Amino acid sequence: MEETYLLNVQGIKKKILHGGQGELPKLQDGSKITFHFQTLKDNFERTVIDDSREAGMPMEIIVGKMFKLEIWETLLSSMRIGEVAEFWCDTIHTGMYALVSRGMRRIAEGRDPLEGQKHRCGMGNMFDYHSTGYDDLDELQRTPQPLIFIMELFRVEDPSAYKRDTWAMSKEEKLAAVPVLHSEGNRLVLRREFAQAAAKYQEAVICLRNLQAKEKPWEDGWLKLESLVTPLVLNYCQCQLELGEYYEVLEHTTELLQKHNDNAKAYFKRAKAHAAVWNEREAREDFQRVAHLDPSLAAAVKKELKQLGDRMRKKHVEDRKRYQGLFQSPQG
């Protein structure tokens, strides 16, 4: 398989190193492609610039999601599953590689790939950098050149065949995912699998918050999304109460009440969290606010206040005994 194949794209040559299996995969927007790659200079030494195997994990890209090196979608679309191929790409296709490589290297190092990046298009950012932080990539920026990509295609998954990351979803997909996640969370609560349920509620909230970020605060679109966020946050907090994560409940209910200071359920959950961490005054104030906002909860509040009083009295007795023991003179 040493023959060189020319793709129907200017400035690309392809050589198949190992044949793949089956038909060419049908790529569509949202398909996830998993592959290994090696990037080399087109010089006598074929100097290796990047190697995903050295990073320890294969590369994944989502078709149609504006990956900065768009030519990779073209290259991968010509490959069969299991195929290994070498592509020579002219400079017209490789000008963005230094920026893409910088981000991939930062991720592999556990750093933020966008650290210090201004909110501009990719090419604009390129001119903003005096240095990428990597000498070999700085050289590529100064002298754009042809590159060689060796790729091994592992799999192509349809959008419906894998769990989509939130960032990869369209607006419609995020809205459709929310009730499904909500329902899954409720089902897990019934099975008392609170950690898993909390993760479902949290994922749904993230979908909605991402959509809210594109709306003007307190206008109709934002408010409609907020009405969906609130019950999910409350369900999430209930799971955290069950898991004993009281300070997380305090954080999320307080944030919710800053926007909606008449939400009795949020006060109730915050009061229970305060009570659990011995904040007696704050717990009593929140419970009393609940009874004022929703008289139908007065009986539940009365019961909680009685339990709080009993717990605090028991704690005071235990504390007194402990302190007496500390100051008693040793016998003998």
Side-chain angles (χ1 to χ4, degrees):
M1 306 284 276
E2 290 298 321
E3 181 181 355
T4 297
Y5 295 82
L6 298 179
L7 289 179
N8 190 27
V9 181
Q10 181 183 1
I12 297 178
K13 296 177 184 178
K14 175 182 178 182
K15 186 194 302 183
I16 296 177
L17 305 179
H18 183 276
Q21 302 171 348
E23 302 295 321
L24 288 173
K26 294 180 179 178
L27 301 183
Q28 56 182 302
D29 274 5
S31 294
K32 181 164 76 172
I33 309 174
T34 305
F35 60 100
H36 266 308
F37 75 93
Q38 194 177 44
T39 304
L40 305 92
K41 287 186 177 181
D42 183 24
N43 57 12
F44 180 77
E45 297 83 4
R46 288 168 63 95
T47 306
V48 176
I49 300 172
D50 289 306
D51 188 337
S52 62
R53 284 186 171 81
E54 287 189 3
M57 63 176 60
M59 181 73 180
E60 294 179 348
I61 62 174
I62 308 296
V63 174
K65 293 301 176 184
M66 300 296 288
F67 183 67
K68 289 188 176 69
L69 203 63
E70 294 179 18
I71 195 62
W72 274 14
E73 288 186 17
T74 301
L75 307 183
L76 291 161
S77 69
S78 76
M79 299 178 68
R80 291 172 169 80
I81 304 300
E83 179 179 323
V84 181
E86 178 178 309
F87 300 90
W88 177 90
C89 295
D90 203 352
T91 309
I92 59 172
H93 301 298
T94 63
M96 293 296 295
Y97 186 77
L99 188 62
V100 172
S101 177
R102 175 184 186 270
M104 292 188 295
R105 291 184 188 186
R106 281 176 169 267
I107 290 170
E109 294 165 4
R111 299 162 64 191
D112 181 357
L114 301 179
E115 181 184 325
Q117 182 168 315
K118 299 180 181 179
H119 294 287
R120 294 174 57 187
C121 69
M123 193 59 73
N125 276 312
M126 204 169 214
F127 291 113
D128 283 330
Y129 294 130
H130 296 292
S131 171
T132 64
Y134 304 94
D135 291 342
D136 57 341
L137 299 183
D138 287 346
E139 180 194 345
L140 287 182
Q141 279 199 173
R142 286 192 298 268
T143 57
Q145 56 197 270
L147 294 174
I148 296 168
F149 301 112
I150 300 176
M151 294 179 160
E152 179 180 2
L153 179 60
F154 293 135
R155 59 183 174 272
V156 175
E157 299 169 88
D158 290 338
S160 60
Y162 68 94
K163 182 179 180 297
R164 305 287 300 281
D165 291 325
T166 299
W167 65 266
M169 292 182 181
S170 67
K171 176 180 178 179
E172 292 72 21
E173 288 170 333
K174 287 174 184 172
L175 286 172
V178 168
V180 175
L181 291 166
H182 198 158
S183 177
E184 290 176 354
N186 292 348
R187 178 177 55 81
L188 289 163
V189 166
L190 291 174
R191 291 163 52 179
R192 300 192 65 77
E193 296 178 16
F194 297 113
Q196 295 89 332
K200 296 293 183 182
Y201 296 136
Q202 185 178 45
E203 188 175 349
V205 170
I206 290 171
C207 284
L208 293 170
R209 291 297 191 209
N210 286 345
L211 293 173
Q212 266 191 319
K214 297 177 176 64
E215 302 285 344
K216 290 186 178 180
W218 302 105
E219 293 195 355
D220 287 346
W222 189 93
L223 289 169
K224 287 177 182 177
L225 293 168
E226 185 69 14
S227 69
L228 298 174
V229 168
T230 300
L232 287 163
V233 172
L234 291 172
N235 287 359
Y236 175 82
C237 288
Q238 183 59 42
C239 290
Q240 298 304 323
L241 281 174
E242 297 286 352
L243 293 167
E245 299 291 344
Y246 303 119
Y247 289 103
E248 186 156 352
V249 176
L250 292 175
E251 177 185 346
H252 288 287
T253 51
T254 298
E255 182 181 345
L256 190 62
L257 287 165
Q258 287 170 351
K259 298 176 185 173
H260 313 285
N261 62 3
D262 58 349
N263 191 302
K265 291 181 179 179
Y267 278 113
F268 193 86
K269 295 183 193 305
R270 191 171 74 171
K272 288 179 71 69
H274 275 309
V277 296
W278 309 105
N279 296 337
E280 182 179 12
R281 179 179 59 80
E282 292 88 345
R284 289 187 180 280
E285 288 176 357
D286 278 352
F287 278 131
Q288 288 163 3
R289 189 70 185 271
V290 171
H292 173 74
L293 288 169
D294 189 348
S296 69
L297 293 173
V301 166
K302 185 177 180 181
K303 179 181 176 182
E304 292 287 345
L305 286 171
K306 183 179 183 305
Q307 290 178 349
L308 176 61
D310 291 343
R311 288 182 67 239
M312 295 307 300
R313 281 190 291 275
K314 183 177 179 182
K315 182 176 185 296
H316 292 325
V317 170
E318 291 174 351
D319 287 347
R320 194 158 50 245
K321 288 180 179 177
R322 188 178 302 115
Y323 294 141
Q324 286 174 349
L326 287 173
F327 294 107
Q328 282 179 347
S329 300
Q331 299 293 321

